[in-house]
């Protein structure tokens, strides 16, 4: 029989070694769901008492919780599930994190090494399955490999471009012996970025030369700025250059959006004609921690190739020069790259704040008219405006695709810097925000967390409402309710002559569904009642859901057609 005292012995079992190695890397919480092949791991977690285990209702959401947790804490998020379906279900969350450069570790237990190849229930080639989706992965064959595998996984996840790792733990590997003397770790690998790399001074000088000559440099910041914690270095540099700062959706939080040089989100999922104009006017574009992908650049049209010189700062050497001919590739940690530029640049640029203020005014004026409308169904702008007013500066908003992502990206104002808003921008799978907000709340419990989702998303994640209730989490879920896959219907409107096909679904009373799960819930149809209802929900001490009957995207104002990529 296993007893705690056995842990003092020279050997421990594989499952115990996994738990000890997680602790050694500073892991405090694991999100996941049990299974037959996970029994040794669960027993080790039970006996060792930490990390804390958060039981989820499916593995996809366990991975999304680990992702949300990692985004707000700067630490590796950990999730787990059993073999077979546990591995295939955890996969969507793992690949989203990997492509979004978020370090999460997924552990799937597996059938015994001794049972391989015998048509064993749940047997699956986890090595091949996870290889293209992760930065590092392994299926362990011997328990003695556990400490080394865990060290390699943490090193891979938090150095260079952060990413996801996967380890499969066969049942008999969990039960095999591990020498206690093998259990050592570098705890700094549990946070990211764990090893910052500095740029080549030669390229720093080249970039500085370009920026000294630039008349109108514009920075486009991606998620890399927030991942690197480079907000202060960015601010010093852009103020020195008087350069406008646009961001991607993941780059929200790079700069306080009230700053006179903040230009807002650009691209086809939250950019507006005004923010696009800022990019088009640039003679030098500095991409920072940003892959210059299809959404940010509106399919590589803004900036137009050749219209501006390009300086591209990224931790991943494969990024600069991938989508634009690059004048200066600056490879390294964003914070170190920006600091290096700051050290050798002393030019004060022409003040662009007045022109930017005009552009911002034009954008907000259009927004204000719609945000103040008392029309029904409620306009999405009204939802953004009320949350903007009610939420504290340090609150966290997580947005799903559909209506939430573009509207909140464009109009939800980040007051302060750091991770206060995020969405799943790599794959944009519906149903992310509910679970990610739970992970975010567990990572940063002192602030209010709100998830905003369409009803399409709600249908893909509702089971985790039980988790929020069981854990008594004071997270507020906002459902944009319009009984349609609205974003796609808007695409059929603008691109296919309004031939609407298979995009409408039935009306659900999401408040009643939430009530059945045990949440305090509200349904709002009158825009005049929205503010008070949201206030009530947000100030409640437990989980709440607000179902808002909202104008569908295909009926909304013109710029939506520009948002459809
Ligand atoms: C898993 C998944 N399947 C399909 C899509 C394609 N898709 C993008 S937006 C969208 C519609 C979103 O509908 P809803 O959540 O109701 O929000 P709305 O657009 O109506 O605000 C769909 C189906 C997706 N992003 N994710």
């Amino acid at each position: 029989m296993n007893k705690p005292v056995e842990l003092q012995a020279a050997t421990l079992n594989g499952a115990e070694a996994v738990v000890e190695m997680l602790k050694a890397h500073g892991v405090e919480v694991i999100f996941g769901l049990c299974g037959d092949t996970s029994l040794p791991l669960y027993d080790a977690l039970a006996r060792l008492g930490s990390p804390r285990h958060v039981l989820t209702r499916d593995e996809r959401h366990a991975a999304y919780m680990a992702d949300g947790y990692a985004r707000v804490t700067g630490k590796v998020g950990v999730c787990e599930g059993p073999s077979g379906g546990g591995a295939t279900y955890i996969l969507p969350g793992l690949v989203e994190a990997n492509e979004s450069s978020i370090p999460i570790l997924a552990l799937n237990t597996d059938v015994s090494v001794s049972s391989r190849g015998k048509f064993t229930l749940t047997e699956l080639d986890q090595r091949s399955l996870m290889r293209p989706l992760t930065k590092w992965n392994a299926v362990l064959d011997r328990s003695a490999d556990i400490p080394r595998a865990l060290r390699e996984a943490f090193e891979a996840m938090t150095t260079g471009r952060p990413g996801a790792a996967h380890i499969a733990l066969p049942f008999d590997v969990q039960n095999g012996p591990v020498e206690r003397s093998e259990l050592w770790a570098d705890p700094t690998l549990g946070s990211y970025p764990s090893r910052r790399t500095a740029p080549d001074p030669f390229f720093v000088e080249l970039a500085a030369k370009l920026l000294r000559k630039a008349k109108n440099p514009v920075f486009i910041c991606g998620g890399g700025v927030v991942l690197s914690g480079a907000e202060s270095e960015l601010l010093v540099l852009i103020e020195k250059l008087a350069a406008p700062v646009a961001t991607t959706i993941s780059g929200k939080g790079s700069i306080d959006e009230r700053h006179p040089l903040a230009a807002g989100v650009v691209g086809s999922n939250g950019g507006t004609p005004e923010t696009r104009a800022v990019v088009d006017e640039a003679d030098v574009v500095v991409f920072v921690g940003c892959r210059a992908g299809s959404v940010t650049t509106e399919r590589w049209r803004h900036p137009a190739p050749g219209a501006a010189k390009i300086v591209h700062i990224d931790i991943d050497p494969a990024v600069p020069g991938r989508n634009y001919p690059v004048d200066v590739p600056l490879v390294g940690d964003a914070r170190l790259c920006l600091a290096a530029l700051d050290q050798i640049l002393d030019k004060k640029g022409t003040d662009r704040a007045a022109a930017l203020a005009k552009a911002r005014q034009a954008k907000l004026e259009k927004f204000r008219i719609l945000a103040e409308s008392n029309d029904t169904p409620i306009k999405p702008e009204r939802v953004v405006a009320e949350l903007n007013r009610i939420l504290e500066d340090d609150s966290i908003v997580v947005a799903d695709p559909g209506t939430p992502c573009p509207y909140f990206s464009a109009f939800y104002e980040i007051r302060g810097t750091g991770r206060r808003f995020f969405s799943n921008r790599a794959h944009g799978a519906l149903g992310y925000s509910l679970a990610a907000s739970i992970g975010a709340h567990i990572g940063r419990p002192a602030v209010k967390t709100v998830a905003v989702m369409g009803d399409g998303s709600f249908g893909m994640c509702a089971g985790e409402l039980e988790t929020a209730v069981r854990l008594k989490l004071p997270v507020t879920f906002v459902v944009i309710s319009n009984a349609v896959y609205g974003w796609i219907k808007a695409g059929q409107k603008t691109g296919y002559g309004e031939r609407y096909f298979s995009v409408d679904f039935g009306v659900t009373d999401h408040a009643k569904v939430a009530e059945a799960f045990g949440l305090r819930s509200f349904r709002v149809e009158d825009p005049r009642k929205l503010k008070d209802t949201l206030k009530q929900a947000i100030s409640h001490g437990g989980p709440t859901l607000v179902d808002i009957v909202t104008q569908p995207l295909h009926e909304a104002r013109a710029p939506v057609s520009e948002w459809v990529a």
Side-chain angles (χ1 to χ4, degrees):
M1 227 173 74
N2 286 314
K3 288 183 189 156
V5 70
E6 285 183 7
L7 295 178
Q8 300 313 314
T11 61
L12 58 176
N13 78 25
E16 291 161 348
V18 170
V19 175
E20 292 292 354
M21 287 302 291
L22 293 175
K23 286 204 281 190
H25 285 97
V27 175
E28 289 170 357
V29 58
I30 306 179
F31 304 91
L33 165 51
C34 51
D36 300 69
T37 49
S38 305
L39 287 167
L41 179 64
Y42 271 56
D43 196 49
L45 283 166
R47 281 181 293 102
L48 296 177
S50 71
R52 171 188 176 194
H53 187 267
V54 172
L55 177 65
T56 68
R57 300 302 300 274
D58 92 43
E59 293 84 353
R60 174 162 56 104
H61 297 122
Y64 287 160
M65 286 179 204
D67 171 323
Y69 175 89
R71 287 187 201 239
V72 305
T73 57
K75 294 179 66 174
V76 171
V78 181
C79 54
E80 60 83 24
S83 53
T88 55
Y89 276 27
I90 218 164
L91 182 155
L94 197 56
V95 66
E96 173 62 41
N98 194 50
E99 292 300 314
S100 291
S101 306
I102 305 299
I104 71 169
L105 171 65
L107 301 169
N108 277 110
T109 56
D110 202 358
V111 299
S112 285
V113 175
S114 58
S115 309
R116 283 183 190 158
K118 296 177 174 175
F119 309 118
T120 308
L121 182 71
T122 75
E123 185 175 2
L124 174 72
D125 181 356
Q126 294 194 36
R127 184 178 283 117
S128 302
L129 181 71
M130 300 300 182
R131 180 167 297 150
L133 313 178
T134 52
K135 194 173 171 198
W136 187 94
N137 79 311
V139 176
L140 302 188
D141 298 330
R142 304 182 316 152
S143 40
D145 293 335
I146 287 172
R148 180 184 49 74
L150 267 293
R151 283 192 290 271
E152 279 186 38
F154 275 89
E155 188 265 327
M157 285 186 286
T158 63
T159 60
R161 185 176 85 79
H166 182 265
I167 299 178
L169 293 167
F171 190 84
D172 45 7
V173 169
Q174 295 172 64
N175 286 326
V178 177
E179 293 292 326
R180 181 172 289 279
S181 59
E182 293 298 318
L183 300 183
W184 48 269
D186 175 353
T188 65
L189 293 173
S191 303
Y192 62 90
S194 60
R195 309 274 190 261
R196 294 181 189 270
T197 47
D200 182 339
F202 172 77
F203 287 109
V204 176
E205 186 48 56
L206 278 188
K209 256 188 203 155
L210 254 186
L211 286 167
R212 279 187 203 109
K213 274 198 264 163
K215 290 203 168 57
N216 187 14
V218 171
F219 283 61
I220 301 181
C221 295
V225 173
V226 177
L227 287 170
S228 161
E231 300 91 342
S232 308
E233 287 73 11
L234 175 74
L235 186 66
V236 171
L237 185 63
I238 61 103
E239 285 187 342
K240 191 176 268 184
L241 297 168
V245 178
T247 75
T248 69
I249 298 161
S250 303
K252 253 173 121 71
S254 301
I255 186 166
D256 187 322
E257 291 182 330
R258 296 167 302 183
H259 191 284
L261 289 168
V265 166
V266 288
S268 54
N269 209 280
T272 65
E274 295 82 10
T275 56
R276 178 191 294 151
V278 172
V279 175
D280 287 347
E281 284 158 16
D283 62 346
V284 174
V285 168
V286 184
F287 287 111
V288 191
C290 162
R291 296 197 286 188
S294 60
V295 171
T296 301
T297 60
E298 301 185 53
R299 302 198 68 76
W300 310 283
R301 292 184 301 225
H302 305 279
K309 299 263 186 218
I310 305 286
V311 176
H312 204 144
I313 298 174
D314 206 277
I315 188 70
D316 183 351
V319 168
R322 172 75 68 96
N323 291 337
Y324 284 92
V326 67
D327 294 280
V328 185
L330 213 51
V331 174
D333 171 71
R335 184 197 277 181
L336 297 186
C337 289
L338 294 168
L341 279 172
D342 185 45
Q343 268 195 353
I344 59 169
L345 276 170
D346 50 17
K347 177 191 151 193
K348 179 91 184 105
T350 330
D351 196 356
R352 302 263 305 127
L356 273 179
K358 232 173 124 187
R360 185 189 313 212
Q361 206 48 43
K363 170 177 156 176
L364 291 183
E365 190 50 29
K366 286 186 213 159
F367 170 74
R368 195 184 55 76
I369 293 163
L370 295 156
E372 286 175 1
S373 162
N374 281 328
D375 290 354
T376 53
I378 295 169
K379 297 212 177 295
E381 287 86 353
R382 181 83 182 235
V383 182
V384 183
E386 300 297 11
L387 283 172
N388 248 333
R389 271 192 278 269
I390 297 167
L391 288 174
E392 304 281 343
D393 295 356
D394 59 3
S395 302
I396 300 168
V397 173
V398 190
D400 254 304
T403 303
C405 183
Y407 280 89
F408 279 78
S409 297
F411 302 116
Y412 182 73
E413 188 178 67
I414 303 297
R415 300 179 294 252
T417 55
R419 189 80 74 193
R420 289 155 196 237
F421 172 89
F422 63 94
S423 185
N424 49 333
R425 290 315 305 160
H427 286 193
L430 302 179
Y432 166 84
S433 72
L434 194 155
S437 70
I438 290 177
H441 173 76
I442 289 172
R444 214 185 274 172
V447 307
K448 181 72 199 182
T449 298
V450 175
V452 191
M453 68 201 79
D455 38 9
S457 281
F458 180 88
M460 297 198 193
C461 64
E464 294 301 335
L465 290 174
E466 188 280 324
T467 307
V469 171
R470 175 168 26 92
L471 301 179
K472 302 186 178 70
L473 306 177
V475 177
T476 296
F477 308 114
V478 173
V479 183
I480 305 286
S481 192
N482 53 21
V484 58
Y485 286 124
W487 180 259
I488 306 304
K489 192 164 185 173
Q492 292 178 345
K493 178 184 183 181
T494 53
Y496 293 84
E498 300 190 28
R499 271 189 307 285
Y500 297 132
F501 177 74
S502 217
V503 283
D504 295 294
F505 49 80
V507 175
T508 302
D509 186 333
H510 305 99
K512 277 208 178 121
V513 176
E515 197 187 319
F517 274 100
L519 283 90
R520 178 100 193 269
S521 55
F522 311 80
R523 185 168 168 86
V524 196
E525 295 181 36
D526 180 351
R528 280 166 285 240
K529 295 194 177 141
L530 186 58
K531 187 175 179 185
D532 283 347
T533 311
L534 282 170
K535 264 191 178 166
Q536 247 182 295
I538 282 163
S539 57
H540 183 63
T544 50
L545 182 140
V546 186
D547 192 26
I548 305 174
V549 180
T550 313
Q551 183 186 37
L553 273 150
H554 68 285
E555 290 172 11
R557 68 195 175 92
V560 163
S561 60
E562 291 161 9
W563 288 348
V564 178

